[in-house]
Amino acid sequence: MEHNAIEKITVIGIGRSGVKIIDTMARIQATSRLHLVAVDTDKDSLDSCAVAEKILADSGWRHGAGCGGDVIKGQRSLARERGRLADLLRDTTMLIVVGGFGGGTATGGVPIISSVASDRNIPAVYMMTMPFSFEGHSKLRIAEDGVKELLPTADILMCLPNDLLFSVMEANTPADEAFLHADIEMSRAILAVTEIFRCRTMLSADFSSFRSVLHRRKGVCCFGIGTAMASDGLNRCHLALERMLQSPLMGGADQLKSANAVILIMTGGKDMQLSEMKKALEVAESFIPPTTRVIVGANTDDAYADTIQITAIAIRYEKGEASSSAEPQLLQEKTFQRPVTPPGQELMMGDNQSGDLFEQAELPLQNISKGIFVNSTPFIFNGEDLDIPTFQRKMIIIDKGE
Ligand SMILES: Nc1nc2c(ncn2[C@@H]2O[C@H](COP(=O)(O)OP(=O)(O)OP(=O)(O)O)[C@@H](O)[C@H]2O)c(=O)[nH]1
Ligand SMILES: [Mg+2]
């Protein structure tokens, strides 16, 4: 498939938490087309990481001992690695940096990486977690200062509150398991962001639209990623949407309702149909107020054969940020371009043929036969509404053994 692709995407994980996320990516995700790099001042952290390319920052001064929460040490250590950072970014056309604000290495080091990247005009996205509230005020203050330091040079800064990760986990989840889960979600979020840049063959999401909603603005981001395969049994778009809304970094449909801007990306194999794509994006949009800016993208990729993935990034600006935007009119603008339906694939439309936004709806996840498609254009085939699960449409009684 011909992609209007960016050739080399580098993902740098910095500090212990960033290195863990990169390690998770290397182990569990199909990341062969990404250039993964682990950077830390802590030798133990790097030794436990499976990524091939590693930078032990300023080993001469820190001796691989980490920065112990000292941001100035983090800053100095990375400043001494500017040359190595510049070398590793030499052919990079797109950079993603991930780490946790609150410690020394990442909080102090990320602005240095950012200045190296901006000196070279490399577009960059920073995906940084904010401390858990149980870590206390001082960590939060360090993190807030890190945000202020990074904003002037960062193209895109996405702050992901760690608290969100726990809001959907059982209170008795073991800490190790909870962190692993969090790292997996972050890895998926990073891959979802790379999707925006990797191919731009369909619809409108690209770096500049992404940048227009986040450039030098302080905002909190929530991520939802839902994947479903045809073999999962029910309507795969329905399932992917449900899973997207339930994913830990999203925090439920309310996050979409309260967002100032939402980016929706749909990825599927060559078997993804325009009708599926249109319907899923319409339903996802039905949870978003009409005044929210929505950027929609869709990709097809052979790696997603038989699979649909729906990703949402909900962005809520800090108080005062939305109104101080350099592009206030964009908050009202909607960039959804509806796909052109090729001959022979016309949709059977219900009443809402104009494709207008639907009213914002509550999410009926259970016990309603059409599930989240209840407010959407019916998809009628041979007189049957295909949004109703097959077993209900065919009136099959499932024996639950009761
Ligand atoms: N999601 C997630 N966040 C983590 C994890 N470990 C730490 N954090 C968060 O990341 C912040 C920074 O911690 P580290 O990554 O250990 O800090 P560092 O950048 O290595 O800095 P120093 O150790 O001081 O050199 C913490 O305050 C936590 O909020 C993790 O495993 N998963
Ligand atoms: Mg550390």
Side-chain angles (χ1 to χ4, degrees), residues 160-388:
L160 305 150
N162 260 337
D163 281 341
L164 253 191
L165 296 167
F166 278 80
S167 64
V168 289
M169 285 185 206
E170 298 290 332
N172 58 359
T173 308
D176 277 0
E177 200 181 299
F179 277 124
L180 179 64
H181 201 56
D183 294 342
I184 291 171
E185 286 303 317
M186 282 293 288
S187 308
R188 296 176 74 205
I190 293 165
L191 279 176
V193 168
T194 65
E195 285 301 319
I196 298 175
F197 309 110
R198 219 166 42 75
C199 42
R200 298 176 230 156
T201 50
M202 300 159 83
L203 303 185
S204 60
D206 62 7
F207 187 73
S208 55
S209 53
F210 194 18
R211 193 173 187 264
S212 72
V213 291
L214 277 164
H215 186 53
R216 292 178 193 171
R217 278 186 207 166
K218 191 173 173 212
V220 170
C221 296
C222 305
F223 274 90
I225 301 159
T227 307
M229 301 180 76
S231 57
D232 284 346
L234 296 169
N235 180 326
R236 59 182 182 165
C237 286
H238 179 137
L239 276 176
L241 268 169
E242 278 190 3
R243 289 171 182 169
M244 179 273 278
L245 289 167
Q246 289 164 357
S247 60
L249 283 170
M250 173 49 77
D254 284 350
Q255 300 294 343
L256 291 182
K257 291 176 187 170
S258 61
N260 297 105
V262 176
I263 299 165
L264 285 171
I265 309 287
M266 190 154 171
T267 314
K270 291 229 172 78
D271 56 315
M272 181 168 75
Q273 294 165 7
L274 281 169
S275 55
E276 285 185 297
M277 198 169 89
K278 179 180 184 298
K279 178 178 277 290
L281 293 174
E282 279 178 355
V283 175
E285 285 193 54
S286 72
F287 299 106
I288 302 168
T291 51
T292 303
R293 186 180 183 201
V294 183
I295 295 170
V296 178
N299 294 329
T300 57
D301 184 329
D302 291 341
Y304 287 80
D306 200 32
T307 305
I308 293 277
Q309 177 173 289
I310 298 172
T311 304
I313 304 170
I315 301 146
R316 209 174 52 250
Y317 302 125
E318 289 272 292
K319 271 195 188 118
E321 285 284 329
S323 55
S324 67
S325 154
E327 301 153 304
Q329 76 284 4
L330 289 181
L331 294 175
Q332 305 294 326
E333 178 194 324
K334 207 165 159 305
T335 55
F336 182 34
Q337 300 163 2
R338 300 205 179 270
V340 178
T341 309
Q345 285 200 28
E346 288 82 7
L347 304 179
M348 296 195 67
M349 303 288 280
D351 291 333
N352 196 329
Q353 297 216 7
S354 64
D356 289 342
L357 263 188
F358 295 98
E359 286 296 302
Q360 182 178 330
E362 290 300 316
L363 175 65
L365 285 176
Q366 280 158 12
N367 300 329
I368 295 178
S369 58
K370 281 187 64 168
I372 56 174
F373 289 101
V374 70
N375 287 326
S376 72
T377 312
F379 188 74
I380 309 293
F381 181 73
N382 280 349
E384 290 188 9
D385 185 345
L386 296 190
D387 291 332
I388 298 173

Side-chain angles (χ1 to χ4, degrees), residues 14-18 20 40-41 66-70 100-107 129-132 135 139 162 165 179 182-183:
I14 178 165
R16 191 168 62 95
S17 123
K20 274 180 61 195
D40 207 340
T41 53
C67 292
D70 187 330
F101 273 138
T105 304
T107 314
T129 60
M130 295 300 276
F132 296 100
E135 291 183 80
K139 280 271 179 195
N162 260 337
L165 296 167
F179 277 124
D183 294 342

